[in-house]
Amino acid sequence: MLKFQETAKCGPTAIPVYPPTVIARRYVLQQKLGSGSFGTVYLVSDKKAKHGEELKVLKEISVGELNPNESVQASMEAQLLSTLNHPAIVRFHESFMEQGTFCIITEYCEGRDLDYKIQEYKEAGKIFPDNQIVEWFIQLLLGVDYMHERRILHRDLKSKNIFLKNNLPKIGDFGVSRLLMGSCELATTLTGTPYYMSPEALKHQGCDAKSDIWSLACILYEMCCMDHAFSGSNFLSVVLNIVEGNTPSLPDRYPRELNIIMSRMLNKSPSLRPSAAEILKAPYVEERLQQLMYKHPEATLEDKRNSACQKEAAHAVNAIKITEGRRYKENNKRAKELRSQNFGSVSAHVLQIRM
């Protein structure tokens, strides 16, 4: 791990002593932000950045502590992030090795994450304005559509992985993302927070793009209601509510069209859920998308048919195959073993997932 010296601590953050710690002769450590999927996350200042763009996020991953599956995922994270360029996705800058530690540098979002914002409003007894919710939802849809067109799953969409910059949402924390290697290869590793997990993920039936759609619907509900779409007194009750419970509805104060869209996204059958592209074509969403284009043109003018980006994604797949072939096979073998298990055996596994 990187040897950062720390002194005065305030909550989860730490202030470095002087002289300041510099990573890769470029990034000056500012403070600890928290823990990510595989390691620790820091706020750094980029000495080579343009004025006003100095602050960035450094995510450190100790390679020696990763098992083969995690090593594959860490490598994939850097590879796929380098192919993504969209206003609704946290921007990737670079990755490198430093003192036996794998480091990823990404965009810094000063507004923290959506979960923090929701809790802040909830404690103050406030709710988000309707137009704000719809704008954020559409921007997230655009980001998810962009990913899915490039055959990329996020697999851990939740409010804690949505970051706010200049009040615009950005999808981040791709630590458990996967490139879809083929139409028959479904991601099966059980991961993430149960509140946002799809029924098929909880039943170990595999995840595809429609699982991300389910998670996005849960985020929409949470933005509207300041609470989880599926809750329970304990972990298993949450799981049973997701797998067997009724589909929740939005309060009457929200447009009927928005509730219909959310209900379709929460269909327990993945094949019956709409894709992000189909939702964007719904009259209610399409009308508001046009309005959003005038307000935030930089967030909606992405060419979704950019073949160059698709080629880059393909190159990333090839790079991973070459450098991580052996470990990737181990990962696939493990996934097949998990796929063969029934829901009864899954229940024992899901108890180990943190709420």
Side-chain angles (χ1 to χ4, degrees):
M1 305 295 278
L2 300 181
K3 303 302 180 183
F4 294 135
Q5 292 180 299
E6 301 173 347
T7 53
K9 296 187 176 182
C10 180
T13 65
I15 308 300
V17 298
Y18 291 92
T21 302
V22 180
I23 299 97
R25 300 181 180 180
R26 176 172 181 171
Y27 302 104
V28 182
L29 180 69
Q30 299 295 314
Q31 67 181 39
K32 179 179 176 181
L33 297 177
S35 298
S37 301
F38 298 108
T40 308
V41 183
Y42 296 91
L43 177 66
V44 296
S45 179
D46 184 357
K47 296 196 296 182
K48 298 183 180 180
K50 296 178 181 179
H51 179 67
E53 300 179 3
E54 295 90 350
L55 292 180
K56 292 181 172 66
V57 170
L58 182 151
K59 183 176 182 181
E60 61 149 7
I61 304 164
S62 180
V63 178
E65 295 179 3
L66 296 181
N67 62 41
N69 293 321
E70 292 172 332
S71 179
V72 170
Q73 289 177 315
S75 178
M76 281 186 166
E77 175 175 8
Q79 291 285 350
L80 71 87
L81 278 175
S82 67
T83 71
L84 302 180
N85 182 21
H86 192 278
I89 296 175
V90 173
R91 184 182 175 189
F92 168 89
H93 290 291
E94 69 166 326
S95 62
F96 54 86
M97 290 294 298
E98 178 80 2
Q99 300 178 17
T101 301
F102 186 53
C103 299
I104 297 175
I105 304 294
T106 60
E107 177 180 15
Y108 171 62
C109 299
E110 86 292 335
R112 304 186 70 165
D113 59 61
L114 181 58
D115 177 72
Y116 177 86
K117 195 76 170 178
I118 289 172
Q119 296 307 317
E120 185 179 52
Y121 268 59
K122 190 174 181 179
E123 290 175 5
K126 300 190 298 183
I127 60 174
F128 297 129
D130 293 5
N131 61 336
Q132 179 72 90
I133 293 172
V134 175
E135 282 188 14
W136 284 351
F137 174 59
I138 292 176
Q139 288 160 353
L140 292 174
L141 270 174
L142 290 168
V144 170
D145 184 40
Y146 177 91
M147 289 189 303
H148 288 176
E149 281 198 339
R150 284 147 185 80
R151 304 180 66 76
I152 294 173
L153 301 181
H154 190 286
R155 296 204 312 153
D156 196 22
L157 283 174
K158 56 186 178 183
S159 57
K160 282 189 176 181
N161 287 343
I162 306 299
F163 301 89
L164 297 172
K165 184 171 184 177
N166 299 323
N167 207 40
L168 295 176
K170 290 177 176 283
I171 300 169
D173 197 353
F174 283 74
V176 290
S177 300
R178 288 292 302 274
L179 290 170
L180 289 178
M181 310 301 289
S183 59
C184 295
E185 282 296 328
L186 300 181
T188 58
T189 303
L190 200 57
T191 184
T193 305
Y195 294 117
Y196 307 86
M197 294 177 70
S198 64
E200 62 272 18
L202 291 169
K203 293 189 288 185
H204 262 203
Q205 294 175 346
C207 301
D208 59 12
K210 298 299 183 66
S211 300
D212 280 347
I213 294 299
W214 174 282
S215 299
L216 184 55
C218 292
I219 293 172
L220 172 60
Y221 182 94
E222 192 174 4
M223 288 191 295
C224 293
C225 303
M226 299 290 166
D227 203 357
H228 297 299
F230 300 92
S231 58
S233 57
N234 54 52
F235 189 93
L236 280 180
S237 64
V238 174
V239 171
L240 290 174
N241 197 12
I242 292 172
V243 175
E244 301 177 355
N246 297 326
T247 302
S249 298
L250 296 177
D252 293 337
R253 64 177 178 270
Y254 294 104
R256 177 175 173 271
E257 295 87 348
L258 186 64
N259 188 56
I260 291 174
I261 290 171
M262 188 195 74
S263 297
R264 291 177 60 205
M265 295 170 71
L266 290 176
N267 195 304
K268 296 190 189 300
S269 174
S271 62
L272 297 180
R273 288 176 215 147
S275 65
E278 290 171 336
I279 300 170
L280 287 167
K281 292 177 183 177
Y284 174 80
V285 174
E286 196 168 36
E287 180 183 346
R288 279 141 191 86
L289 177 58
Q290 295 301 318
Q291 298 171 0
L292 188 61
M293 288 178 67
Y294 288 106
K295 185 175 181 181
H296 300 291
E298 75 282 358
T300 55
L301 294 181
E302 167 64 30
D303 179 11
K304 294 184 287 183
R305 294 176 176 80
N306 189 333
S307 59
C309 288
Q310 292 174 344
K311 289 179 181 178
E312 288 178 6
H315 290 322
V317 174
N318 291 332
I320 294 166
K321 285 182 177 179
I322 294 172
T323 60
E324 298 286 349
R326 179 178 59 81
R327 289 179 177 177
Y328 185 70
K329 287 180 181 178
E330 293 177 6
N331 197 43
N332 273 349
K333 181 179 179 181
R334 179 174 177 270
K336 289 177 181 178
E337 292 173 352
L338 289 173
R339 191 182 295 121
S340 66
Q341 297 177 6
N342 56 30
F343 179 65
S345 61
V346 172
S347 298
H349 288 291
V350 297
L351 284 173
Q352 301 174 12
I353 302 176
R354 59 185 178 83
M355 295 289 282

